[in-house]
Amino acid sequence: MERTQLVTLFESVMKIISLERHLSDKANAELIPLLKKSFPPEQQSYLAREAFDILPSTYVKKMIPWVVKQLSLDERTVFVRSLRRVVSSTQFESIFQNIRISLDHISR
């Protein structure tokens, strides 16, 4: 491939990623508050579980530790406790096997 073709390809890929992210951010900004308002916590947990089952495990293993590190200690505790309730223990251990934060203080 010529250099100009590679640059064009790269620009096209970046435009696609940018558009996908914009649409995703917009959908999340509108959808998440609606879901929180419309569904009780038990159903929200079910929906979260369904999302984890759909996402590729490699993506989840990269995404969840990053998200956890961005949270305050209190938010982290709530997030991890909630996650433990909706995923299997095997899936939970798999997600957190490489994370370097202490989860010991977070009881089930």
Side-chain angles (χ1 to χ4, degrees):
M1 251 185 176
E2 293 179 27
R3 180 170 166 72
T4 55
Q5 289 175 320
L6 289 173
V7 169
T8 302
L9 175 62
F10 177 75
E11 289 172 347
S12 298
V13 169
M14 292 290 93
K15 286 178 186 176
I16 291 167
I17 291 170
S18 178
L19 176 61
E20 185 275 332
R21 182 171 180 158
H22 170 74
L23 294 174
S24 176
D25 290 347
K26 185 173 180 182
N28 286 339
E30 294 174 9
L31 183 60
I32 290 174
L34 179 63
L35 291 173
K36 288 170 124 180
K37 179 181 170 186
S38 301
F39 296 101
E42 296 79 22
Q43 287 180 311
Q44 291 175 26
S45 295
Y46 173 78
L47 293 171
R49 171 61 194 211
E50 290 296 308
F52 281 112
D53 287 345
I54 292 170
L55 293 170
S57 62
T58 54
Y59 178 76
V60 172
K61 285 180 184 180
K62 291 178 184 177
M63 177 189 67
I64 297 298
W66 181 86
V67 169
V68 168
K69 288 177 185 177
Q70 308 309 308
L71 301 173
S72 70
L73 183 58
D74 290 342
E75 292 170 325
R76 184 181 299 168
T77 300
V78 170
F79 179 82
V80 172
R81 283 182 180 159
S82 300
L83 188 60
R84 275 190 171 151
R85 289 186 193 118
V86 299
V87 299
S88 69
S89 59
T90 304
Q91 190 176 16
F92 182 86
E93 294 302 324
S94 175
I95 291 168
F96 286 101
Q97 70 184 1
N98 294 324
I99 196 164
R100 297 198 193 291
I101 63 165
S102 174
L103 299 175
D104 296 335
H105 70 282
I106 304 173
S107 64
R108 292 180 188 247

